[in-house]
Amino acid sequence: MRRYDVVIAGGGIAGGFLARQLKLTRPELDILVLESQPEINDFKVGESTVEVAASYMIRRLNLGTYLYQHQLPKNGLRFFFDSPEKDLPLTRMSEIGSDHMPFHPSFQLERAKLERDIAIMNAELGCQVELGAKVTDVRIDGESEHMVAWEKGGERFEASCRWFIDATGRRHLLNRKLGLPVHKETRLNTAAAWGRYRNVAGLDAVTDRAFRERVRYTARHLSTNHFMYDGYWIWFIPLAGDLMSVGVVYDKDRIGPGPRNRAELEAFLHKHRSSRDLMEGAIFEDYQGYAHLPYWSEKYFSKDRWALTGFAGAFTDPFYSPGSDFIATANEFITSLILAEMGGDDTFEARLEAYNAYYRFKYESTLRLYSRMYPIFGSFEIYRLKYLLDFNNYYNLVYWPFLADKLTDLDWVRGELEFTPVVLRALDAMADHFSRMGDVLRTRGEYFAKNEGHWANGLNGVVQLEKRLGPVFDDAFRKEQVDRAYGSVFAAVLERLSGEPGLGDRKPVLDELKLPQVLVFKDINEDSAQRLLDRIARRIGAELRKEFPSVEKVVLGKSLAGDAGLAVIGPPEGGPEHAEVLARARSLWDTSGKSYAYAAL
């Protein structure tokens, strides 16, 4: 029986990437990859990547040249919004996107080609890659060596190994073998249906000049294009080789069972003018679907020298394309653990505890981006604010640590875990506010009010971060960014729900709304808005009294100060001092806070 250092069950991107990372990091490792499919030709979902996964592929796996030569560069995320009747042509749909390629790269992956190529590259590196090898048994022995059995070509094979990694995806090979539960997530009840098509013209086939000029003639085709609706979203993702991935993810609690086969998917798409126009003349290639998307495991990395990566461990939702980021994170942790255990590092068990906790936190924080949020996806006005916050948080709190190689730093991970309750509380709080905004705008008949003819540059919310990201952390700047992002978005929501004009871009308001203050708000209504205005009025009053001792009180808000929204009590009205005081108070109140919510318009 041959012995290996590491046996990886599953030759998709999770297992293939891990084998490559391990071999590049420690060329002397003896690695066996067992892939059950005799030929890798399945068009798998998960084509779109974001910045963490792209950085991982380029910096850890040395795949930069390959990706640019054989896959497609991605022009960021793009979102379109429709009328209630779903009848807007593409050129009239409100849009969130970019007018240039993002500063930090990402890619659209034709998964079958990538996985075939990775298998070949891994073999060239010295990994043993066995296609058509179905694992039939695994015996985990925490005291000695594990045993793995597989069948190939009608023959049975066995091997022993120090580490066993499950990268078999939704088969959950190891959890099933060990009797460990895989929990179906109940806080998010989403499903998906999708297919691959050829001869889809794409968004750049639109000839409308104003539509093209709006993005400075950059390629919308290369974006991950989302068509946003109340309770679901439709994707159009381009792949190399004249392929277009087209699918829908839907909240079953919101819209019911949704499409469950090719005919139902195509009928569903046909109900939307934009999708119908894009799909004209498309040639069908394949269909797939998942009846339920999110799930999680209780443990991902074990002291008994086994680990889960990719879909074998957990999945949340494909919105924002987090799947390959989860793979990058798991593989970073697994590589660190294998090297620590084999090297006799006395931090091995401490790393296990921290990495398991952090990976579960990653699942929980990612889930909160989607849970309860599908009902607001169809409103440009609400979703624009959510995206601004989510994108800023991703660059600051997720992507920057990865670029700075903090992810496997034990002290850093422990430090981050201390703040997980605050992070989860902040995500829950903003979800409450977005959900409330959706309910209010529906009641007012304004949910779709800005879904036609509006444009927002989604990169404007991170322009201050883009060039700062790198190997060096700036903790003070990162904290300031958290406060600015949460304050900007919360103030914009507060303005819309309270009816106080211009509230969201006033410096005195944003100065008051750091993250801790945002978390104090349980409800947004006229009363809570007035309490905030009263606090700000007291501050402005104190500032005015330094110059004008006769000032008794400053009043803010339409309910107390009338349409002007500001009044000063003290100097006699009509007198020269009152006019001077009022002008000074107005200048303080009207000073722009340079809100990210306004900059992104």
Side-chain angles (χ1 to χ4, degrees):
M1 181 187 300
R2 182 170 174 182
R3 180 196 178 277
Y4 296 88
D5 294 309
V6 182
V7 171
I8 302 171
I13 61 170
F17 281 179
L18 178 60
R20 181 172 179 82
Q21 182 176 3
L22 288 169
K23 200 67 174 175
L24 289 173
T25 306
R26 289 287 187 273
E28 68 273 16
L29 289 178
D30 206 356
I31 299 170
L32 171 65
V33 180
L34 300 172
E35 167 54 45
S36 61
Q37 297 297 318
E39 295 181 4
I40 302 176
N41 52 22
D42 181 17
F43 290 125
K44 296 177 182 175
V45 75
E47 302 103 335
S48 178
T49 67
V50 282
E51 287 82 350
V52 166
S55 175
Y56 172 72
M57 291 186 290
I58 292 171
R59 295 193 304 126
R60 292 287 186 268
L61 306 183
N62 195 25
L63 292 174
T65 299
Y66 167 85
L67 291 168
Y68 281 109
Q69 287 183 343
H70 300 284
Q71 303 290 339
L72 293 181
K74 173 179 167 180
N75 190 13
L77 304 175
R78 197 171 299 275
F79 308 88
F80 294 92
F81 299 82
D82 209 341
S83 68
E85 295 75 27
K86 308 175 183 60
D87 62 354
L88 288 180
L90 186 61
T91 54
R92 286 169 47 197
M93 301 176 87
S94 290
E95 177 185 1
I96 302 169
S98 61
D99 61 359
H100 61 279
M101 291 291 284
F103 193 84
H104 294 268
S106 55
F107 301 90
Q108 311 287 25
L109 304 177
E110 202 276 77
R111 288 278 303 276
K113 175 174 175 51
L114 173 63
E115 291 173 3
R116 286 194 301 270
D117 293 344
I118 288 293
I120 294 170
M121 287 188 271
N122 284 347
E124 291 172 348
L125 281 176
C127 298
Q128 183 178 339
V129 179
E130 297 288 342
L131 301 183
K134 182 179 180 180
V135 175
T136 56
D137 193 20
V138 180
R139 293 200 294 272
I140 299 296
D141 187 338
E143 302 299 323
S144 182
E145 299 276 290
H146 310 318
M147 190 284 293
V148 184
W150 68 95
E151 292 180 354
K152 179 178 179 178
E155 295 186 59
R156 188 177 188 276
F157 301 87
E158 289 187 1
S160 64
C161 60
R162 183 70 182 167
W163 277 83
F164 180 82
I165 312 299
D166 184 0
T168 60
R170 288 174 175 258
R171 288 175 56 197
H172 304 298
L173 172 71
L174 197 52
N175 275 338
R176 293 179 187 277
K177 177 63 181 178
L178 299 178
L180 301 175
V182 177
H183 297 276
K184 179 180 178 180
E185 182 58 68
T186 58
R187 291 168 291 176
L188 180 64
N189 191 21
T190 48
W194 68 93
R196 254 67 51 140
Y197 294 83
R198 299 189 185 274
N199 198 41
V200 177
L203 282 72
D204 295 335
V206 176
T207 58
D208 182 273
R209 181 174 178 177
F211 183 70
R212 298 296 305 279
E213 285 182 343
R214 188 165 73 192
V215 296
R216 299 193 297 177
Y217 292 90
T218 54
R220 285 182 174 94
H221 176 79
L222 290 174
S223 299
T224 295
N225 292 290
H226 306 70
F227 293 81
M228 305 286 285
Y229 296 91
D230 180 350
Y232 63 97
W233 54 281
I234 295 167
W235 80 70
F236 279 75
I237 300 174
L239 309 176
D242 187 34
L243 282 169
M244 182 74 79
S245 175
V246 183
V248 58
V249 180
Y250 52 95
D251 183 345
K252 291 174 284 185
D253 293 335
R254 192 73 180 168
I255 73 165
R260 291 165 292 188
N261 53 50
R262 173 195 171 185
E264 291 181 2
L265 171 63
E266 293 178 350
F268 186 92
L269 295 171
H270 194 73
K271 294 176 182 177
H272 306 76
R273 175 173 176 176
S274 55
S275 299
R276 187 167 64 246
D277 291 348
L278 287 169
M279 292 292 287
E280 185 176 357
I283 300 171
F284 174 78
E285 192 74 22
D286 80 328
Y287 168 86
Q288 296 179 50
Y290 289 139
H292 186 80
L293 290 173
Y295 57 87
W296 53 278
S297 303
E298 294 180 359
K299 181 185 292 187
Y300 304 96
F301 320 108
S302 171
K303 65 181 178 62
D304 290 331
R305 306 183 316 281
W306 59 260
L308 313 176
T309 185
F311 280 15
F315 186 74
T316 53
D317 193 278
F319 199 69
Y320 294 147
S321 308
S324 50
D325 276 17
F326 271 79
I327 290 171
T329 301
N331 286 358
E332 287 279 275
F333 286 162
I334 292 168
T335 298
S336 173
L337 290 169
I338 289 175
L339 298 184
E341 189 274 330
M342 288 186 172
D345 188 332
D346 59 7
T347 67
F348 171 65
E349 292 199 9
R351 289 179 183 275
L352 273 170
E353 181 181 1
Y355 293 172
N356 271 305
Y358 188 90
Y359 203 74
R360 180 61 194 274
F361 162 66
K362 184 174 179 65
Y363 174 86
E364 288 291 332
S365 58
T366 305
L367 183 78
R368 281 164 169 78
L369 298 178
Y370 318 124
S371 179
R372 298 184 292 129
M373 291 294 91
Y374 269 70
I376 63 99
F377 278 1
S379 173
F380 170 87
E381 184 175 4
I382 308 171
Y383 180 72
R384 182 184 71 82
L385 297 175
K386 174 174 168 55
Y387 180 63
L388 189 159
L389 181 62
D390 292 348
F391 196 13
N392 190 284
N393 280 343
Y394 177 77
Y395 261 43
N396 187 10
L397 305 180
V398 180
Y399 184 42
W400 198 346
F402 192 85
L403 284 181
D405 293 327
K406 294 291 188 181
L407 193 60
T408 57
D409 182 320
L410 183 56
D411 290 337
W412 181 85
V413 173
R414 284 171 164 168
E416 290 294 291
L417 290 172
E418 292 179 3
F419 293 99
T420 57
V422 175
V423 173
L424 298 180
R425 182 182 168 198
L427 292 169
D428 283 336
M430 291 309 300
D432 288 341
H433 297 320
F434 291 135
S435 181
R436 168 69 174 158
M437 188 174 180
D439 292 341
V440 169
L441 294 191
R442 278 192 190 84
T443 301
R444 295 177 183 174
E446 298 172 359
Y447 180 89
F448 298 97
K450 297 186 178 181
N451 278 20
E452 181 175 355
H454 290 269
W455 153 255
N457 192 326
L459 293 179
N460 284 353
V462 296
V463 67
Q464 71 287 348
L465 273 164
E466 285 182 323
K467 296 181 181 180
R468 298 287 292 269
L469 302 182
V472 179
F473 254 13
D474 184 337
D475 286 326
F477 178 73
R478 293 181 73 227
K479 182 181 183 302
E480 187 266 341
Q481 284 299 299
V482 170
D483 286 335
R484 286 287 303 277
Y486 274 94
S488 294
V489 171
F490 180 82
V493 175
L494 184 64
E495 175 184 334
R496 187 66 165 98
L497 297 186
S498 68
E500 293 288 343
L503 191 71
D505 193 37
R506 298 185 186 276
K507 187 176 186 299
V509 174
L510 294 178
D511 286 347
E512 185 73 19
L513 291 176
K514 305 296 190 290
L515 179 59
Q517 287 73 41
V518 169
L519 293 181
V520 169
F521 278 81
K522 300 300 182 184
D523 297 302
I524 296 179
N525 51 44
E526 291 182 5
D527 290 341
S528 60
Q530 189 60 55
R531 287 195 294 272
L532 173 65
L533 292 173
D534 291 345
R535 289 202 305 272
I536 296 170
R538 289 192 290 272
R539 289 175 180 267
I540 293 177
E543 184 68 22
L544 287 174
R545 278 189 285 275
K546 294 176 183 178
E547 301 178 53
F548 307 98
S550 60
V551 171
E552 297 177 13
K553 185 178 182 181
V554 173
V555 178
L556 295 174
K558 292 191 302 179
S559 63
L560 299 179
D563 290 340
L566 180 148
V568 178
I569 300 172
E573 290 192 31
E577 186 181 20
H578 184 272
E580 188 178 358
V581 170
L582 191 60
R584 177 61 177 144
R586 176 62 66 187
S587 71
L588 291 172
W589 179 231
D590 287 346
T591 300
S592 170
K594 298 181 180 179
S595 166
Y596 291 165
Y598 280 65
L601 286 171

